[in-house]
Amino acid sequence: MKIVILDGISITQKDLWWEELSEMGELEVHDRTEDDEAAESIGDAEIVFTSKCPISREVMDACPQIKFTGSLATGYDHIDLKAARERGIAVCNVPAYSTDSVAQHTFALILEITNQVGLNNTAVQSGEWSRAKDFSLSLNPIIQLAGKSIGIIGYGNIGGKVADIAKAFGMKVNIYSRDREAAMKSDIITVHCPATEENRGFIDRDFIGQMKDGAVLINTARGALINEEDLAEALRSGKLSAAAVDVLSGEPPRQGNPLIGVPNLFITPHVAWASVEARATVCRVSAQNLKSFIEGGRLNRVD
């Protein structure tokens, strides 16, 4: 049995490997595969795993021997599910593997805004503290989370975990789907919903205008949810005091992205999901999915 992974480098990086999958057949791993090279990379493989590279109807037509396609993620919209059903191809995913990691990163972003660890470390390393007249060097006000409110948009696994952490900090939690008005007036709003055609760009000028003046916006979900020009304008005008995002409308960002260089905006390069533990879960569960399929089971089948 031949197994092909089309784009495995984002999962394994430099610290993991596909040991369990390699024991189940002849394994061929591609770090990256361009969209138009998918059929060529798959070749005569019966088993295909993909992180982002699309498995389209055309790819399935070109590779009729495919029996199983595994998404190396929770989402599987890069796999043509209808075409797979028509051809009897099993499709599996890895559900909820990054819940803890994304929730943790959400608060890493929040704490960077409230405590400015990076800014303070830079000041110390550059000698600014050594030159200070007082024992405590105050660069920016440190904001306490206890007593603040957080609005959570998208109350699934990750949103629920964020709520638990917020409560541990002593924050008041407002769930957008339950009390939209309270959520919109929260000190911090954090987004954890999937991107759909209906909600694309819904965090725009009108949405931000309903937020509390000086509020903070966090997005570790999908870049398509935010109108980036409107967010940039809100930060420059002071309507929002700060924002932090792990995702952008185009990744990696291209020249001219309206969020690059905006004041009081913190950007991380789509890494919230990518803890060692989360990526190891992807490797392990992907092998479990294939084993179940071989044995006639339906573990994490989405078709």
Side-chain angles (χ1 to χ4, degrees):
M1 179 175 64
K2 185 175 179 180
I3 306 167
V4 166
I5 298 174
L6 294 177
D7 46 3
I9 192 64
S10 64
I11 306 299
T12 56
Q13 297 184 16
K14 297 179 180 179
D15 47 19
L16 296 174
W17 187 243
W18 310 94
E19 287 89 354
E20 293 178 71
L21 278 177
S22 67
E23 296 171 357
M24 301 173 69
E26 176 191 349
L27 179 62
E28 179 179 304
V29 180
H30 299 266
D31 284 350
R32 301 170 185 86
T33 297
E34 296 296 328
D35 293 359
D36 59 358
E37 296 174 348
E40 180 182 352
S41 295
I42 292 168
D44 59 354
E46 299 172 285
I47 310 299
V48 182
F49 287 94
T50 174
S51 175
K52 297 296 182 186
C53 184
I55 306 297
S56 64
R57 179 180 297 270
E58 290 72 25
V59 170
M60 295 178 197
D61 286 342
C63 304
Q65 78 287 346
I66 297 175
K67 297 179 180 177
F68 173 100
T69 298
S71 172
L72 300 171
T74 300
Y76 47 87
D77 55 351
H78 54 306
I79 301 171
D80 190 326
L81 205 58
K82 181 179 179 182
R85 286 181 183 136
E86 292 171 359
R87 291 158 178 76
I89 299 172
V91 179
C92 293
N93 72 336
V94 184
Y97 71 93
S98 63
T99 296
D100 290 331
S101 294
V102 176
Q104 176 179 313
H105 195 81
T106 298
F107 271 89
L109 294 175
I110 291 172
L111 290 168
E112 178 59 29
I113 291 170
T114 59
N115 290 66
Q116 300 274 303
V117 171
L119 176 69
N120 281 280
N121 175 64
T122 298
V124 173
Q125 299 296 341
S126 67
E128 192 171 347
W129 191 20
S130 299
R131 296 187 294 270
K133 296 180 179 180
D134 302 309
F135 77 94
S136 177
L137 176 65
S138 179
L139 300 172
N140 274 340
I142 292 176
I143 301 168
Q144 178 176 285
L145 289 178
K148 299 294 188 298
S149 56
I150 185 168
I152 300 177
I153 301 176
Y155 199 58
N157 292 326
I158 296 173
K161 188 71 175 183
V162 167
D164 291 341
I165 298 172
K167 291 173 184 176
F169 272 107
M171 302 183 75
K172 174 177 171 48
V173 174
N174 298 314
I175 310 303
Y176 184 83
S177 59
R178 299 178 185 175
D179 190 340
R180 185 180 185 279
E181 183 176 356
M184 291 299 295
K185 296 305 179 184
S186 297
D187 298 299
I188 299 171
I189 290 182
T190 181
V191 186
H192 302 287
C193 58
T196 65
E197 287 303 317
E198 290 72 28
N199 67 14
R200 184 175 298 273
F202 83 98
I203 300 177
D204 57 9
R205 182 180 290 103
D206 290 340
F207 181 97
I208 295 171
Q210 298 174 58
M211 292 175 64
K212 180 178 181 179
D213 288 347
V216 170
L217 178 67
I218 307 291
N219 183 19
T220 55
R222 290 290 182 265
L225 297 169
I226 290 181
N227 182 310
E228 293 176 337
E229 292 182 354
D230 289 354
L231 174 57
E233 178 187 329
L235 288 165
R236 290 193 174 100
S237 70
K239 168 62 181 177
L240 298 182
S241 64
V245 300
D246 183 56
V247 286
L248 294 174
S249 59
E251 299 171 347
R254 303 305 178 191
Q255 185 175 2
N257 182 289
L259 294 184
I260 302 299
V262 174
N264 299 319
L265 175 62
F266 299 83
I267 304 175
T268 52
H270 204 147
V271 294
W273 65 277
S275 68
V276 175
E277 292 80 3
R279 291 183 289 110
T281 297
V282 173
C283 295
R284 182 180 66 255
V285 174
S286 294
Q288 292 171 351
N289 289 346
L290 179 55
K291 183 175 186 292
S292 173
F293 168 74
I294 293 171
E295 294 175 349
R298 296 184 57 86
L299 181 64
N300 295 321
R301 287 279 290 270
V302 297
D303 61 337

